[in-house]
Amino acid sequence: MAARRTAATAAAGSGEDARSVELDELMPWSVRPLRTGRSWVMGPDPAALRARWERLAAAEGTEQERLFRPSRSRTPDTPVAALPGRATGTGRFAREPGACPDPVRILHGPFDEQWLLPDHRLIDAARPELWRVGDERQLFMVEHGYVPQATGPALSVTHLLPDGHSPAGRAGRIRPLYRRPDATDPNLAPGLLDVLRTRLGPEVAPESVLAWITAAALPSPSGCRVPLPADAEVWAAGVELGRELVRVRLRGARGGERPRLPGGRRPYVRAALPARPAGIVYDAEAEALVIGDGRISPVPAGAWEFTVSGVRVLELWFGRRAAAAVGAVPEGADANGLDAVGARGWTPEWTSELLELISVLALLDGLRPRQEALRARLERAEVPLISRDELRAAGVLPVPASVRLPASVLGHQEEGPEGQFALL
């Protein structure tokens, strides 16, 4: 077993592994992470974002430019196209800022649901191709940064627009499940579904492929790798597990139930959290989060210890909100800039989100033994796998270069710079 694992790891590092396929080959269209260019356009409190907008819109001249924090891609005088699906200004912000757009919910990194001002004039690289295909049926898969020996999931799945941020290591690519709106044109290698249906049954669908990848993907220096079983029973078990993992991550979206731990294990606020918490401590004996004079319990150890790319999720999530509560600015930002605008202490919404995040992490940790058992089973030689040679013979590999590009989306107009329109 150890010898096989060593060989597989070496092969993964070299970019070739006979017992698995690169995620980049299975879902060939990927988009680089968003690049905001300025930290103040995103945060955990939508009210703070609105206050920042109003402060920027009211400023003039050099003061507005200082607050804006110009970059090579964006200044207050940069005209840009509107984000798909967003009726925001396309003229120069300095001349006509317009009304503050409603902040939109996004996924910042693997588990942090934050808010973003969806105005293309404020964002260096918003990745419009993602906004164009994002709808009520789309799902996004994001690889986490690879960190040797680090534990935790290899990737995330979300219904929200993800920014692709990674807590540590190289930021991952964003892979939509569908290349066009309305769940059309799956982002899967041409011919892959035909091979899987022939081997595993006619019911194989794009959503089941995504579920399998969620359950079985393995991290490697060259990107996630995915073994494909030729055994219908193994496939069914992995898809069932993957659907559970996705359901928990979606937090009640798409008609699912919000994540809840069994009665008696649900976390509650035992003592109110302070308005400006300074730190967070885990009391393992009492299974409690201690936040100043505040206290939340029960918190399973698995939720507290849950990491992604070697970074503890709860600590990172809490630290961002503790900083936002007091208007602390990121390293390198202007202490008198927009990052400090809108601080209003710890909000009740954050407490609710923290309780839900604890439940999400605890449920995912509870599914970990099943995930480890599946991966161990796939490593055993007696489990037949669909080989790379079989995929090459079927014409699935190598993947055509054309499917690595965004699909053309026709039939609607989008506003370009300075109010011009273009047919896409």
Side-chain angles (χ1 to χ4, degrees):
M1 177 71 73
R4 283 197 297 272
R5 187 178 297 112
T6 301
T9 303
S14 66
E16 182 72 20
D17 179 2
R19 292 183 59 82
S20 66
V21 185
E22 292 181 12
L23 178 58
D24 189 57
E25 296 172 311
L26 299 179
M27 301 181 71
W29 177 42
S30 66
V31 180
R32 288 179 295 172
L34 277 64
R35 189 177 73 251
T36 62
R38 45 205 53 81
S39 54
W40 59 262
V41 302
M42 182 174 66
D45 184 7
L49 298 185
R50 295 181 185 277
R52 293 169 187 176
W53 173 284
E54 297 300 334
R55 170 78 180 277
L56 181 66
E60 297 179 351
T62 57
E63 174 63 5
Q64 185 181 78
E65 185 169 355
R66 181 188 71 82
L67 292 172
F68 189 95
R69 294 191 67 190
S71 62
R72 292 173 60 184
S73 299
R74 296 290 186 269
T75 75
D77 291 303
T78 303
V80 297
L83 285 173
R86 298 289 159 182
T88 54
T90 59
R92 293 168 173 81
F93 188 94
R95 186 178 63 199
E96 189 178 358
C100 178
D102 291 333
V104 297
R105 200 67 151 156
I106 69 167
L107 187 67
H108 178 50
F111 290 98
D112 195 344
E113 294 187 359
Q114 296 207 14
W115 298 89
L116 174 72
L117 287 171
D119 192 307
H120 211 181
R121 297 172 297 178
L122 310 181
I123 306 171
D124 278 9
R127 311 305 179 200
E129 58 270 41
L130 293 178
W131 297 74
R132 197 168 288 126
V133 301
D135 61 16
E136 67 280 356
R137 299 185 64 183
Q138 182 67 270
L139 291 174
F140 298 97
M141 180 169 279
V142 187
E143 294 181 71
H144 301 161
Y146 176 76
V147 177
Q149 309 303 318
T151 60
L155 45 76
S156 293
V157 177
T158 178
H159 66 291
L160 300 173
L161 178 78
D163 66 2
H165 174 80
S166 178
R170 183 182 62 185
R173 306 282 293 194
I174 302 168
R175 301 180 191 276
L177 178 57
Y178 295 101
R179 292 166 50 80
R180 290 183 172 88
D182 299 321
T184 56
D185 194 3
N187 180 23
L188 299 173
L192 177 63
L193 282 177
D194 292 335
V195 171
L196 295 178
R197 286 166 179 164
T198 299
R199 281 288 208 154
L200 304 169
E203 70 282 356
V204 175
E207 292 82 3
S208 54
V209 176
L210 179 136
W212 172 264
I213 293 171
T214 303
L218 299 168
S220 82
S222 61
C224 286
R225 305 193 67 88
V226 184
L228 296 175
D231 184 302
E233 186 271 331
V234 174
W235 170 266
V239 169
E240 180 184 7
L241 172 59
R243 285 175 175 158
E244 291 188 50
L245 292 167
V246 172
R247 178 184 58 79
V248 173
R249 286 179 173 274
L250 295 189
R251 307 188 192 189
R254 307 297 162 80
E257 296 182 357
R258 300 202 74 88
R260 299 185 69 183
L261 292 169
R265 297 301 297 161
R266 294 171 190 164
Y268 291 95
V269 177
R270 309 297 177 174
L273 276 58
R276 289 171 172 76
I280 185 170
V281 176
Y282 182 64
D283 183 338
E285 184 176 352
E287 287 193 313
L289 286 182
V290 181
I291 303 172
D293 293 331
R295 194 175 186 88
I296 295 175
S297 69
V299 178
W304 171 251
E305 296 294 344
F306 199 100
T307 62
V308 174
S309 301
V311 178
R312 186 176 283 136
V313 170
L314 280 176
E315 278 189 314
L316 181 61
W317 186 96
F318 171 83
R320 288 168 176 161
R321 281 152 185 79
V326 298
V329 303
E331 184 178 353
D334 185 353
N336 296 316
L338 293 178
D339 287 288
V341 172
R344 57 191 184 117
W346 187 273
T347 70
E349 293 82 4
W350 293 350
T351 300
S352 298
E353 292 171 15
L354 176 56
L355 294 174
E356 182 171 81
L357 180 58
I358 292 168
S359 297
V360 166
L361 298 180
L363 290 169
L364 292 177
D365 183 68
L367 292 170
R368 185 176 297 175
R370 288 174 58 188
Q371 199 167 10
E372 292 174 349
L374 174 67
R375 291 172 175 173
R377 191 175 182 185
L378 290 168
E379 287 183 354
R380 293 198 289 267
E382 64 266 23
V383 175
L385 299 179
I386 298 174
S387 68
R388 298 180 62 86
D389 287 341
E390 180 176 345
L391 294 177
R392 289 191 186 100
V396 176
L397 299 180
V399 178
S402 59
V403 297
R404 296 191 180 278
L405 302 174
S408 60
V409 179
L410 304 176
H412 71 283
Q413 288 183 320
E414 293 176 9
E415 186 171 340
E418 302 287 5
Q420 301 179 38
F421 282 85
L423 181 65
L424 301 177

